[in-house]
Amino acid sequence: MDALEVSKVDLLKRDAEDAYLNSLWNNRFRYLSSARGSRLVDDKRKTVLERFEGYQLIQNDLATRPSSDSLVKGGRKEPIEASIIPAVYGEDAAMHSVLERQRQQRNKIPKWHAPWALKRIVNGHKGWVRCIVVNRVENDWFATGSNDTQIKVWDMASGRLKLTLAGHTMTVRGLAISESHPYMFSASEDKLVKCWDLEKNTSIRDFHGHFSGVNTVDVHPTLDVIASAGRDAVVKLWDIRTRAPILTLAGHKGPINKVKCFPVDPQVVSSSTDGSVRMWDLRAGKASKILTHHSKSVRDIAAHPREYSMATASTSDVRSWRIRDGQLLTNFDSGPVGIITCLGINDDNILFAGSESGKLTFFDYETGHRYQELETELAEGSLESERSILCGAFDLTGLRLITGESDKSIKIWKQVEDATPETHPNLLWDPNLPMQRF
Amino acid sequence: MFTSSSLSALLPPPKNAPATSSNDQLQRQITAKNLSDEGTKSNIKPKDPGTTTAEALIARSRISFHEFMPLRQMTSNVSIPLPTDKEIEKTWLDTKNVLDGILSKNTQSIDFDPLRNRSEVKSIEIRNSHEPQGPKKSVKVIKQVSDPLQPKMFKIKKRVAPPVEEPFAPILHKSGSGGFTLTQEEKDDWNIPAAISNWKNPNGYAVDLQNRVASSSKVENTFSGRSSKSLELSNALDLAERKAREEVHLRAEIKKQEAERLTREREEKLRLMALRARERKDHGLAHFFSSADPQADQARQRQIIAEERRKQLELEARQSKWSTADRLRFLAHSQGRDVSEKVIIGAAKTTDSEDIVHDSRLYTKAARRNESQVYDSPLFMQESRSSIYRPKVASYAVERAGDTLRNLNQSTGSNETQNSNHRGPIAFTRAERSESARTENDEAEEREVKRPRNG
C-alpha cells in the first residue's frame, strides 16, 4: 500500500512537474505555433495526410494529458482547434472555404424566368422621365414625373394620357401614392414636396422646409406621415394633415437618393450618395443600423412585395437585405451592369435593374442569378446619347415593367408569353467569387 | 466610434447647446458600460422604451462574419415573412404616440388660432384695499393690439446641432474601389494645369521661361501636323519652281550658244565666200589686167569707159524725156534734198510783189516765239524742222548717184562737181560768204532758190 501510495505520489509529482514544465514551455514558445517561419521549413515537405496525422497526434496528446487541461486550458486548446484547416491544408485555407461555398452555390439551380421584351413606347413628356409610381390601390393607372416640371397620369391598359398636373417649377424627382388617402405626393428640385388631391386633381398642400432640392418622398404605410429627403442630406418626416415637420433625421454625409417607409421597425430606410444605407428608428429619432457594404452612391431601394426584404443598388453592386435587422441576404451577380439607377422587384422573384447606359438587367431574387440582359430601344427621333433608364417600376401584378427614360419616353415591357426554358434559355448560372465579395 | 468616446465628448458642451437631461447622460453611461462589460448586457433595462432597439443594436454591434456573409449563400431556404398585423399594430401605436408627442409640442408653439389674436375684453371688479366695504370698481382689461406682421423683438439664438448618436458602423466594403489605382503617368495625362492668362495676371503668377516655351511649343505642336505639311508643300513648290527656272535658263543658254554657233558658222561661210570671191575677182582682174598685151588692156579700159558713157547717155536721153517735176524730183533726190511735192508742182507760190521790203531780222527772229528761246537763230533753220528726224530718203542711192556723177566728171575731166560732196540745202550752195553778207542777201537767195519754179 505504501509503495503504491508512494508511487501514486511520485506519479502525481511527476505529472505536476510535467504540467509545470509544459506550461512554462507553452508560455515561452507558444508564439511559435502561430509563427509561420519556424514551421514552414519542414511543413512544406509534408503531404496533407502527413500533416493531418501530425495534427491528430497533437490532439491525442492533448486529450490524454490531464494536467495540461487543468493548468493551461484556454490558452492552448482553442487556437489549435481553430487552426485545423491551415494546419492540414496549408495557409490558403480561407480560400478553400470560399471555394467550398462556391461549390455549394454551383449546386443550386436558380429558377427559370421568361425573358422580357418591349411592348409599348409611350411619348408625352417634354423632358427626362425621372420617376414612376403605380397606383397601389387599383392597377389602373400610373403617374410619371419629368424634367419638364409636370406630372402626368397615364392609363395602364391603353397607355393614354389621363391627366397632367402642373405646379412644380423644377424637375419632379419623386412620386408617392398613399394607400389610405386619395393623395399623391411629389418631390421636386424646387425644394418642395407637394400633395395632390386625386379627387380634385389639384395641389392642396406644400411641404416647405428642405434646404435644397428634394429627391425622394414616400408615404408611411400605417401612419399619416410622409418622409422626404434630398440634397440637404436629411430625411424629414412630415405630418400630412398639418404640413408640420415632425422629425429631421440627420446623419447622411451626402445627398439622399431614396427613402422607403416600412410598417415595422426600421420604419424608414434611406440610401445616400455617400454609399451608406441607414435604417432609422423613428421613436428614437436616429439611425438604428448603417449598412456600409456599398462603396459607391446607393441610388435605389426596392422592397419585395411578398417578403420582408429589400434590395439596394449602387454601381455594379446589387444586394438584398433582411429589413428587420439589416442582414445581408444575397449578393447579386451584378458585376458588368454599370451604374444602376433603378430597381424593381416582382411577385415572381424577379429583380429588375435599369442602368444609366440604357441596359435592363433581370435577376433571380433568390440566388442573385443574372438571367437576362436587354438594351432599350431608342424612341423615334431621339439621340444615341439619350439611351439611359432613369426610373422603373413593376405594376401591381408584376406582369408589366414600366421604365422612364432620358429619351423622354415611357416604355412598357412584358415577358415573352409562350416562352419555355427550351426556347428561351436564361443566361448561364455561374456563381463566381466576386458574388461572394464583402 | 461613439460620441462618448470621441475627443469632442471630453470638451465642455457648446454654449447654446440644449441641456442634456440627466436621464440621457445616464443612458449614455449605461451604454458605455454596456460595451465595456459584455456580461452585464442583459441586466440593464433602459427607462425609455424608444431607445431600446438602438441601444440593443449598439450593444450587439460587434463585427461578425455573418455581417457580410450573404445569408442565402450560406443557408438555403431562408424564409422572411412579412410582418404580422399584430406587429404592425403595435409598432404603429408606439410610433404614433411618440410622433404625436413631438407634433403636439411643435404645434403648440405655433399660433394657429386666428381668434386668439383678437383683442379680448375682460372686466375685473376691484375694491379699494383701504376700505374693504367700499364700492366696487369694474375695470376693463383690453389686450393691446399688436401688429401680426411685426418682426419678432427678441433675438433668435443659433443653436448648435446636438451630437448625433450613431450606432457603430464598421465599413464593410473594400476601400480603394476594387484595387484600381492610378499610375503617375495616368495622373499626369489627366492633369489640367492651372490657366494663367498671357494678358492678365492679377495674382502675379510667375511663369518661368522654360514653362512658357514648353506651353507655347505645346500649342504649336498641336498644329504641327498642318503647318509641317504646308511647309513641305511650299518647300516643294519652291524647289520645283527653282528647277523649272534653271531648266529654262539652261535651255535659253543652249539656244543662245547654238545661235551664236550658227551665226559664227554663217559668218565664217560668208567670210570664206567673200574671200573666195575676192580671190576669184583678184585673180580675174589680175588675169584681166595682167595679160601680157598692154594694148589689149587699154582697149579693155576704153571699152569699159565707153560702156559707162553709153549708160550715162542713155540716162540723159531718158531724163530728157522727163517732165520738169520729175527732173526736179530727181535733182532733189540726187542732192539729198527733200523737196515737197507742192514745191515741185509749183502749188506753193510766194507772193511775187517785189515792193514789199522785209526786215531781214524778221526772218532770223521769227523763230523766236517766246522768251524762253535762248538762241537768236534756230540751229536747223535751213532745214524744215519736221524733217530733222526723218531719215534721209535713200541717201545711199543718192550717194551712189553722186559717185557716178563724180566719176563721169572725172572721166570727162571737168572740175565742176568738186564741191558736189557738200550736202547742204541748195540755198547755201553759193553762200560761202560772211554772216553779215549773207543776211544782206537773204532775199536774193530766196529769189534764186525759187527761180527754178518759174522755169
Side-chain angles (χ1 to χ4, degrees), chain A residues 101 104-105 108 222-223 225 237 239 242 244-247 250-253 263-265 267 275 278 281-284 286-290 292-296 304-309 319-322 324-331 365-367 435-438, chain B residues 48-55 57-58 60 65-84 87-88 90-100 102-103 106-107 110 112 164-175 177:
Chain A
R101 267 184 282 124
Q104 285 175 7
Q105 279 290 106
K108 277 185 195 169
T222 50
L223 292 160
V225 156
L237 272 126
D239 185 38
T242 61
I246 304 169
L247 277 178
H252 276 296
K253 303 285 190 295
V264 185
D265 278 324
Q267 296 180 52
R278 274 169 195 256
D281 184 0
L282 283 194
R283 281 169 288 189
K286 53 192 174 186
S288 61
K289 173 123 183 156
I290 303 167
T292 53
H293 298 243
H294 291 291
S295 58
K296 297 209 175 75
H304 197 284
R306 286 190 294 103
E307 199 181 66
Y308 203 51
S309 66
R319 291 163 193 264
S320 64
W321 313 87
R322 196 181 342 174
R324 233 177 268 272
D325 57 351
Q327 168 66 46
L328 181 62
L329 287 179
T330 321
N331 276 331
Y365 188 74
E366 290 274 343
T367 53
M435 265 180 78
Q436 323 249 341
R437 82 194 105 95
F438 38 78
Chain B
D48 190 359
T51 52
T52 323
T53 46
E55 302 300 350
L57 273 168
I58 286 170
R60 242 179 343 115
F65 190 58
H66 298 274
E67 287 273 344
F68 45 81
M69 200 53 236
L71 192 67
R72 282 213 162 108
Q73 286 169 19
M74 287 201 296
T75 52
S76 51
N77 301 326
V78 182
S79 70
I80 307 157
L82 283 171
T84 57
E87 230 177 342
I88 292 171
K90 190 177 165 290
T91 319
W92 170 74
L93 209 65
D94 285 353
T95 323
K96 191 174 178 296
N97 288 336
V98 173
L99 294 188
D100 278 349
I102 296 167
L103 199 61
N106 284 352
T107 47
I110 303 164
F112 278 118
V164 184
E165 283 179 36
E166 284 190 343
F168 172 57
I171 291 165
L172 295 175
H173 63 254
K174 260 190 282 180
S175 55
S177 63

Side-chain angles (χ1 to χ4, degrees), chain B residues 368-379:
Chain B
R368 182 182 279 194
R369 280 173 203 144
N370 52 20
E371 293 304 304
S372 66
Q373 197 164 347
V374 181
Y375 302 102
D376 272 357
S377 55
L379 184 58

Side-chain angles (χ1 to χ4, degrees), chain B residues 83-140:
Chain B
T84 57
D85 288 348
K86 204 177 162 188
E87 230 177 342
I88 292 171
E89 184 90 359
K90 190 177 165 290
T91 319
W92 170 74
L93 209 65
D94 285 353
T95 323
K96 191 174 178 296
N97 288 336
V98 173
L99 294 188
D100 278 349
I102 296 167
L103 199 61
S104 62
K105 208 165 65 186
N106 284 352
T107 47
Q108 266 168 14
S109 61
I110 303 164
D111 220 345
F112 278 118
D113 190 8
L115 295 174
R116 214 184 258 186
N117 274 346
R118 259 187 220 169
S119 55
E120 290 172 11
V121 181
K122 214 194 255 176
S123 61
I124 309 166
E125 288 190 344
I126 304 171
R127 191 175 286 164
N128 197 340
S129 58
H130 294 293
E131 18 182 328
Q133 266 74 44
K136 281 181 183 175
K137 281 180 184 174
S138 86
V139 178
K140 271 187 182 178

Side-chain angles (χ1 to χ4, degrees), chain A residues 43-56:
Chain A
D43 265 18
K44 267 188 180 173
R45 296 187 201 126
K46 287 180 185 172
T47 60
V48 173
L49 269 176
E50 279 171 350
R51 270 187 238 157
F52 184 65
E53 276 169 13
Y55 176 73
Q56 272 184 330

Side-chain angles (χ1 to χ4, degrees), chain B residues 288-289 294-308:
Chain B
F288 203 63
F289 290 110
Q295 280 196 338
D297 275 0
Q298 279 181 356
R300 211 164 288 143
Q301 245 174 356
R302 254 183 275 122
Q303 203 176 345
I304 290 164
I305 290 162
E307 185 68 20
E308 277 181 359

Side-chain angles (χ1 to χ4, degrees), chain B residues 186-285:
Chain B
E186 282 168 322
K187 274 182 193 168
D188 288 345
D189 283 348
W190 285 97
N191 180 36
I192 300 165
I196 299 171
S197 171
N198 281 330
W199 297 277
K200 279 185 195 171
N201 191 7
N203 292 340
Y205 290 116
V207 183
D208 57 330
L209 196 62
Q210 205 175 349
N211 280 346
R212 235 175 236 280
V213 168
S215 65
S216 63
S217 69
K218 227 180 247 174
V219 170
E220 274 168 22
N221 282 339
T222 54
F223 296 103
S224 66
R226 221 173 296 163
S227 72
S228 76
K229 289 277 180 199
S230 68
L231 199 70
E232 275 173 25
L233 178 67
S234 63
N235 281 345
L237 284 175
D238 278 355
L239 199 72
E241 200 184 341
R242 210 182 308 141
K243 264 189 184 172
R245 272 176 199 284
E246 272 172 13
E247 271 178 18
V248 166
H249 185 69
L250 213 66
R251 226 174 290 147
E253 195 85 343
I254 289 164
K255 259 184 193 171
K256 213 167 120 189
Q257 279 179 6
E258 187 73 12
E260 263 179 22
R261 195 178 57 81
L262 279 174
T263 44
R264 236 182 292 127
E265 273 180 7
R266 209 182 299 132
E267 273 175 14
E268 190 72 11
K269 214 190 276 174
L270 281 173
R271 202 175 56 79
L272 276 175
M273 274 165 68
L275 197 68
R276 220 175 292 139
R278 214 177 293 135
E279 270 176 9
R280 206 187 298 140
K281 198 179 169 187
D282 285 355
H283 185 71
L285 276 175

